[in-house]
């Protein structure tokens, strides 16, 4: 492993805005218009991979390793190109799940190619693509490393049992971040957010898909199989806390500024963001509550009519080689979907790089893993009702 290279202080996830709350998706993604569905037999194009050793990959900004001396060079991607002789056009064009959906949905629903062979979006949005039949099933014979090394916790989400259509790119945890020194005590439960000494100093995430699972877990709900009653009971609780002034506001990733500045003492937070905050302020802690926290992923998918499917499948498998996954994890600092990468990092001769193997926010320990769950996503028929309720609370 090369020595550790720190990420930009602006994490990739801080670029997300308005997730899950967009009414603009309306009838298409929210309700799953039948005419938009593409049957399995209509999803594949002639695969030109053998004659055209290339592919186009759309990803989020700041979500892959770069070379400090040559920022346009991406070492793990360059290694793939050199090893297999396949060139990759890497496009950092995804800044918002809803926005990207709107960008490529006209092509997909009209049975036209998107000019992209590989995309990365959040799993809750991946669920919509899978339900609409807009992505192709992967050939695992080209992906032995995915088969061998994908984290068991991520192998079978409700929207894609067995991960036939999606493979996690990176993962993370939505839990609670707080400043222990300023608060003067520990936080161990979701219900701790409602304590009197935190009145007006708590923020929750504004995005429905980002917020609901942790709050339901605090109510003792099995989020892998929750029901409408569970959702509305959670909303009732949040409404009460808003009414009594407990919640300062609902945020996107601007909770980072509130927490680091001291305006907020505790908040819903993403594990990857907190790793970066801790580098500047060791008093900030991240908690997976005793009731549990949500494990989420952002996943790779091959859209319909992609012209270089086999090449895309080989690229995905490249990132599941433990040594490659370790190099990427050392840069992006999210939960690594390849547990075997931990041993690679631990064996590094660089002390700071080796220390990442012991960071539970990159490689959750057994005790933390037992408290993590992948929430059942919000189904198409539920979204309009639930978004209306949640957005009314948040003030969207």
């Amino acid at each position: 492993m090369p020595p550790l290279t720190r990420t930009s202080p602006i994490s990739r996830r801080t670029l997300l805005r308005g997730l899950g709350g967009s009414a603009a998706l309306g009838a298409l993604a929210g309700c799953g218009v039948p005419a938009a569905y593409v049957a399995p037999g209509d999803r594949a194009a002639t695969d030109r991979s053998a004659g055209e050793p290339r592919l186009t990959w759309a990803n989020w900004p700041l979500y892959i390793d770069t070379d400090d001396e040559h920022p346009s060079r991406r070492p793990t991607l360059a290694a793939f190109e050199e090893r297999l002789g396949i060139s990759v056009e890497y496009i950092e064009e995804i800044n918002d799940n809803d926005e990207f959906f709107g960008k490529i949905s006209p092509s997909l629903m009209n049975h036209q190619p998107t000019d992209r062979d590989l995309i990365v979006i959040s799993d809750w949005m991946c669920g919509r693509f899978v339900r609409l039949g807009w992505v192709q099933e992967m050939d695992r014979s080209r992906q032995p490393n995915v088969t061998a090394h994908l984290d068991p916790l991520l192998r079978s989400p409700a929207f894609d049992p067995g991960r036939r259509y999606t493979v996690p790119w990176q993962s993370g945890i939505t839990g609670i971040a707080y400043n222990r020194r300023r608060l003067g005590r520990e936080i161990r439960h979701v219900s701790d957010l409602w304590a009197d000494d935190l009145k007006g100093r708590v923020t929750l995430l504004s995005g429905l898909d980002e917020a609901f699972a942790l709050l339901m877990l605090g109510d003792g709900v099995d989020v892998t199989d929750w029901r409408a009653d569970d959702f509305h009971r959670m909303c009732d609780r949040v409404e009460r806390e808003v009414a009594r002034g407990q919640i300062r506001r609902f945020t996107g990733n601007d909770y980072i500024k509130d927490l680091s500045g001291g305006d907020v003492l505790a908040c819903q937070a993403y594990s990857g963001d907190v790793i970066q905050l801790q580098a500047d302020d060791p008093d900030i802690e991240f908690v997976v509550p005793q009731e549990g926290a949500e494990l989420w992923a952002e996943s790779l998918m091959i859209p319909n009519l992609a012209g270089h499917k086999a090449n895309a499948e080989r690229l995905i498998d490249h990132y599941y080689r433990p040594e490659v996954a370790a190099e990427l994890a050392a840069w992006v600092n999210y939960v690594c979907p390849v547990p075997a990468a931990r041993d690679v990092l631990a064996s590094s001769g660089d002390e700071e790089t080796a220390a990442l193997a012991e960071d539970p926010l990159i490689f959750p320990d057994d005790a933390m893993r037992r408290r993590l769950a992948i929430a059942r996503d919000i189904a198409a028929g539920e979204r309009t009702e639930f978004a209306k309720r949640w957005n009314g609370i948040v003030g969207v």
Side-chain angles (χ1 to χ4, degrees):
M1 279 294 299
L4 172 67
T5 301
R6 284 292 179 191
T7 64
S8 162
I10 304 175
S11 81
R12 202 280 316 158
R13 202 165 176 88
T14 64
L15 297 173
L16 306 191
R17 293 292 182 268
L19 302 183
S22 173
L25 287 176
L28 179 57
C31 301
V33 172
Y37 177 76
V38 178
D42 296 326
R43 298 175 190 176
T46 299
D47 193 348
R48 305 190 300 274
S49 293
E52 297 179 0
R54 62 181 178 85
L55 71 129
T56 300
W57 178 10
N59 204 350
W60 304 76
L62 305 175
Y63 216 14
I64 196 170
D65 53 308
T66 58
D67 188 316
D68 281 351
E69 296 182 3
H70 305 282
S72 63
R73 185 176 185 273
R74 305 172 179 95
T76 58
L77 191 54
F80 169 78
E81 294 177 313
E82 293 162 9
R83 184 169 65 86
L84 292 181
I86 298 172
S87 64
V88 180
E89 181 184 8
Y90 185 81
I91 308 171
E92 295 184 324
E93 65 169 329
I94 304 175
N95 293 299
D96 178 278
N97 286 289
D98 290 347
E99 176 187 290
F100 188 67
F101 180 98
K103 187 174 186 178
I104 68 172
S105 60
S107 295
L108 290 165
M109 68 185 299
N110 288 297
H111 307 270
Q112 298 171 348
T114 66
D115 298 324
R116 300 163 183 84
D117 300 294
L118 197 59
I119 62 175
V120 179
I121 52 178
S122 300
D123 267 1
W124 62 265
M125 180 62 86
C126 288
R128 299 181 188 179
F129 278 71
V130 171
R131 286 191 292 270
L132 287 164
W134 288 1
V135 290
Q136 300 182 63
E137 183 172 356
M138 296 189 200
D139 183 349
R140 288 288 185 258
S141 70
R142 299 189 184 105
Q143 299 177 322
N145 288 304
V146 174
T147 300
H149 299 303
L150 174 56
D151 191 331
L153 287 178
L154 295 167
R155 283 183 182 268
S156 198
F159 73 90
D160 184 16
R163 288 283 183 183
R164 296 164 56 203
Y165 300 96
T166 64
V167 173
W169 169 243
Q170 292 295 293
S171 184
I173 304 167
T174 300
I176 297 172
Y178 73 105
N179 190 307
R180 183 172 180 176
R181 178 181 58 82
R182 285 176 171 151
L183 181 57
R185 63 176 177 85
E186 294 184 346
I187 286 179
R188 289 292 175 261
H189 302 276
V190 176
S191 60
D192 290 342
L193 294 175
W194 319 136
D196 289 342
D197 60 349
L198 281 172
K199 187 171 184 178
R201 310 292 292 278
V202 173
T203 61
L204 300 180
L205 294 170
S206 58
L208 169 59
D209 295 89
E210 283 65 47
F212 80 88
L214 180 71
L215 299 172
M216 279 190 189
L217 284 161
D219 287 338
V221 174
D222 175 5
V223 295
T224 67
D225 189 30
W226 56 272
R227 297 289 183 265
D229 287 349
D230 300 319
F231 177 83
H232 289 295
R233 185 169 62 254
M234 177 271 292
C235 288
D236 290 343
R237 156 66 83 175
V238 175
E239 282 181 329
R240 290 196 298 271
E241 299 304 332
V242 169
R244 74 184 189 93
Q246 186 73 11
I247 299 169
R248 183 182 183 90
R249 66 189 186 106
F250 294 85
T251 73
N253 289 85
D254 42 346
Y255 70 81
I256 295 170
K257 179 179 65 176
D258 292 344
L259 184 62
S260 60
D263 292 333
V264 162
L265 299 181
C267 58
Q268 274 189 307
Y270 303 123
S271 55
D273 288 339
V274 175
I275 289 177
Q276 297 182 9
L277 287 171
Q278 288 172 333
D280 297 322
D281 187 349
D283 291 320
I284 292 177
E285 297 195 12
F286 183 85
V287 176
V288 172
Q290 293 299 313
E291 301 87 0
E294 181 188 16
L295 179 68
W296 46 262
E298 286 162 336
S299 293
L300 298 140
M301 299 191 300
I302 300 172
N304 289 356
L305 305 182
H308 307 90
K309 180 174 183 285
N311 291 343
E313 289 165 341
R314 293 185 179 102
L315 176 59
I316 293 169
D317 198 60
H318 169 75
Y319 277 97
Y320 272 73
R321 295 162 65 99
E323 65 275 17
V324 177
E327 188 171 354
L328 180 63
W331 202 90
V332 300
N333 291 173
Y334 283 90
V335 175
C336 181
V338 182
R342 183 179 184 275
D343 291 339
V344 178
L345 287 170
S347 65
S348 171
D350 179 77
E351 183 177 344
E352 192 174 2
T353 300
L356 293 177
E358 304 305 319
D359 191 328
L361 300 188
I362 300 176
F363 298 98
D365 57 28
D366 289 344
M368 184 180 290
R369 288 172 70 87
R370 285 192 292 270
R371 300 199 303 276
L372 297 176
I374 298 178
R376 173 181 76 77
D377 60 319
I378 298 172
E382 302 170 315
R383 182 161 292 275
T384 300
E385 173 192 351
F386 292 168
K388 182 178 181 180
R389 176 87 195 269
W390 179 254
N391 292 343
I393 298 171
V394 173
V396 174

